[in-house]
């Protein structure tokens, strides 16, 4: 090979080395890789809300002068597909950041792959402490927005005690928890028993409609016989209406009927079955009355999608993008360590009505939201009944008997 040929080869090798060092990324685009269950309203709306955030960022000039792109893959509530999605986003699409997740079971399947790539990751769901244990300590690239199950439990204890103290007619001494038999439901039951240990608690699992089930007759009959002050079910949105229909069929109407799915069907509030149902959540459209940030998110989502956000995973999907974008702008660079340093300092005024910052939880270093809200369906609208400083309505009690509807 002559001198000219050797020089050409060296130039090609240097170019290849630079591409490898950049991970093959398109230098004109900053990429977010999202993984949600798109067949479920939680994942469908979270992914759409994340796109709303991306569109807002691009409309304002992008990030660091670059356009932002969101690539979404459907996990189908399947841990193997959720892990394969992370692998593809890292190696084929070469994203800069990971966002997403609803189910703890899917997230548990993803964690080994996430640990392989160690990209900045903003998780919108996965409440189970088992996921926190699987991530482990000292994973500075990992940020968890959604409260862990023990954070949620602590909120419930605080909230229900406050409600019972303020409204003396409300009794909360005897509980029954019907829970889906996966990681989410089982962890919810164990956490409930631990947190409400000074109360009477019983429970029984069911196979969620999201996993091919949908017959709740056995667990509802068991709950009716137990005669609880508070009946709670922890499953998915697919369980909401059939579980209420079957409760009505056996005339099971406890004084407090509480649902604790990650999201609700979009048209749930339009059903007469929904009235008086209490729920846990991080956001509701009624917050628009007291939060300008919530109203801005809500109106932007409707303008983009033509539908109303019906699950708090929508504002979490929006927030996941906006928080990372804010940290990138503050860092002024795509250097991962610099962005992580900014994320640790961030104070993000979110659509959920609270300022999000990150700090240590039981194991991880970067936990975001810690408190849930207690809400109730009233006249087709989710109203906040606790915390009182964010309340949009008084609690309606007791649950109206089926015979009087």
């Amino acid at each position: 090979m002559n001198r000219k040929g050797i020089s050409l080869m060296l130039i090609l090798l240097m170019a290849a080395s630079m591409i490898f060092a950049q991970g093959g990324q398109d230098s004109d685009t900053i990429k977010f890789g999202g993984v949600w269950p798109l067949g479920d309203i939680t994942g469908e709306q979270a992914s759409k809300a994340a796109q709303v955030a991306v569109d807002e960022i691009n409309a304002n000039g992008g990030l660091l002068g670059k356009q932002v792109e969101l690539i979404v893959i459907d996990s189908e509530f399947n841990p193997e597909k959720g892990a394969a999605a992370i692998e593809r986003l890292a190696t084929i699409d070469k994203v800069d950041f990971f966002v997403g997740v609803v189910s703890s079971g899917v997230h548990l399947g993803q964690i080994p792959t996430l640990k392989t790539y160690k990209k900045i990751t903003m998780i919108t769901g996965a409440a189970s402490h088992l996921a926190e244990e699987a991530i482990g300590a000292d994973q500075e690239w990992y940020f968890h927005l959604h409260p862990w199950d023990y954070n949620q439990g602590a909120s419930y204890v605080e909230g229900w005690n406050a409600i019972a103290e303020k409204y003396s007619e409300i009794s909360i001494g005897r509980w029954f928890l019907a829970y889906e038999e996966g990681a989410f439901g089982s962890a919810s039951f164990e956490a409930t028993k631990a947190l409400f240990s000074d109360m009477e608690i019983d429970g029984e699992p069911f196979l969620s409609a999201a996993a091919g089930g949908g017959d709740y007759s056995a667990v509802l009959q068991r709950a009716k016989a137990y005669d609880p002050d508070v009946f709670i079910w922890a499953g998915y949105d697919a369980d909401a209406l059939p579980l209420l229909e079957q409760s009505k069929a056996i005339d099971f109407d406890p004084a407090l009927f509480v649902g604790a799915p990650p999201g609700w069907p979009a048209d749930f509030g339009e059903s007469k079955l929904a009235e008086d149902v209490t729920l846990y959540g991080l956001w509701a459209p009624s917050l628009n009355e007291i939060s300008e940030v919530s109203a801005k998110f809500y109106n932007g989502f409707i303008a983009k999608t033509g539908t109303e956000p019906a699950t708090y995973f929508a504002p979490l999907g929006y927030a996941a993008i906006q928080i990372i974008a804010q940290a990138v702008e503050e860092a002024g660079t795509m250097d991962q360590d610099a962005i992580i340093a900014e994320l640790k300092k961030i104070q993000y005024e979110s659509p959920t009505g609270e300022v999000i910052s990150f700090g240590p939880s039981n194991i991880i270093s970067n936990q975001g939201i810690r408190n849930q809200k207690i809400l109730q369906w009233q006249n087709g609208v989710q109203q906040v009944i606790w915390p009182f400083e964010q309340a949009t309505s008084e609690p309606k009690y007791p649950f109206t008997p089926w015979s009087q509807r």
Side-chain angles (χ1 to χ4, degrees):
M1 183 180 294
N2 58 30
R3 181 174 296 176
K4 186 175 180 180
I6 292 173
S7 297
L8 179 60
M9 180 177 290
L10 287 173
I11 291 171
L12 291 173
L13 286 172
M14 289 176 63
S17 176
M18 291 176 65
I19 290 172
F20 180 78
Q22 294 172 0
Q25 296 169 4
D26 179 355
S27 60
D28 294 329
T29 307
I30 294 174
K31 296 182 180 179
F32 289 78
V35 184
W36 286 284
L38 303 184
D40 186 84
I41 191 169
T42 52
E44 179 210 352
Q45 293 206 339
S47 62
K48 289 179 176 177
Q51 186 62 53
V52 170
V54 167
D55 291 348
E56 286 182 4
I57 293 166
N58 286 333
N60 290 321
L63 280 178
L64 307 180
K66 301 176 182 179
Q67 286 292 286
V68 177
E69 181 182 0
L70 172 67
I71 302 168
V72 175
I73 298 179
D74 188 357
S75 70
E76 301 179 35
F77 271 126
N78 182 302
E80 289 76 22
K81 291 185 177 180
I86 295 296
E87 185 72 32
R88 178 191 167 87
L89 289 168
T91 60
I92 305 299
D93 300 304
K94 300 187 185 302
V95 302
D96 300 287
F97 308 105
F98 295 124
V99 295
V101 178
V102 169
S103 156
S104 297
V106 171
H107 194 42
L108 283 166
Q110 293 176 320
I111 286 172
T113 312
L114 288 169
K115 284 184 171 180
T116 297
Y117 296 103
K118 298 183 182 298
K119 292 178 180 289
I120 290 174
T121 300
M122 190 70 64
I123 296 300
T124 54
S128 172
H129 66 281
L130 299 177
E132 186 184 28
E133 292 174 0
I135 281 290
D138 302 323
Q139 306 293 340
E140 296 299 318
W141 48 272
Y142 183 85
F143 292 79
H144 189 252
L145 271 181
H146 195 287
W148 295 115
D149 46 19
Y150 56 83
N151 296 139
Q152 294 175 298
S155 296
Y156 305 154
V157 171
E158 181 182 358
W160 283 116
N161 284 333
I163 289 171
E165 182 177 356
K166 183 173 182 177
Y167 304 96
S168 59
E169 71 276 19
I170 295 180
S171 176
I172 59 169
R174 189 173 169 82
W175 299 63
F176 189 96
L177 179 62
Y179 57 97
E180 66 89 20
E181 61 188 23
F184 163 60
S186 300
S188 296
F189 183 50
E190 294 303 320
T192 299
K193 287 193 296 184
L195 288 161
F196 292 89
S197 58
D198 57 341
M199 300 177 183
E200 297 179 53
I201 297 179
D202 200 354
E204 190 167 298
F206 61 82
L207 181 60
S208 171
D215 181 358
Y216 317 95
S217 54
V219 70
L220 290 173
Q221 288 287 3
R222 175 83 196 292
K224 184 178 181 180
Y226 185 74
D227 191 24
D229 296 322
V230 185
F231 170 75
I232 302 180
W233 64 272
Y236 295 102
D237 73 294
D239 301 307
L241 284 170
L243 194 144
L244 278 162
E245 288 167 349
Q246 292 176 35
S247 296
K248 181 180 180 182
I250 66 167
D251 199 27
F252 174 51
D253 44 18
L256 282 167
F257 198 117
V258 184
W264 292 84
D267 56 353
F268 183 76
E270 298 174 9
S271 171
K272 292 182 179 178
L273 299 171
E275 188 64 14
D276 300 353
V277 170
T278 304
L279 64 148
Y280 301 131
L282 295 172
W283 175 84
S286 57
L287 282 170
N288 295 345
E289 302 170 16
I290 59 173
S291 168
E292 292 182 1
V293 180
S294 175
K296 177 178 181 292
F297 153 76
Y298 177 86
N299 293 328
F301 187 92
I302 291 178
K304 173 72 178 180
T305 68
T307 59
E308 182 181 53
T311 163
Y312 67 74
F313 279 92
L316 290 187
Y318 177 88
I321 300 291
Q322 293 286 13
I323 289 172
I324 293 176
Q326 186 173 320
V328 170
E329 290 287 6
E330 292 293 333
T333 171
M334 284 297 287
D335 177 78
Q336 177 152 307
D337 290 341
I339 297 171
I340 289 173
E342 293 300 330
L343 283 169
K344 285 177 172 292
K345 296 187 293 186
I346 211 155
Q347 297 283 321
Y348 172 69
E349 188 173 357
S350 77
T352 61
E354 57 201 304
V355 175
I356 295 175
S357 59
F358 295 96
S361 55
N362 281 0
I363 297 176
I364 67 170
S365 302
N366 304 314
Q367 173 59 35
I369 302 170
R370 296 166 188 270
N371 297 319
Q372 286 273 48
K373 299 177 178 66
I374 300 178
L375 308 98
Q376 190 174 55
W377 289 96
Q378 297 179 4
N379 298 318
V381 176
Q382 288 183 13
Q383 299 286 356
V384 179
I385 59 173
W386 184 86
F388 300 133
E389 61 270 22
Q390 295 178 321
T392 56
S393 182
E394 300 278 327
K396 189 175 176 183
Y397 181 88
F399 188 77
T400 304
W402 299 116
S403 60
Q404 297 177 20
R405 294 179 181 233

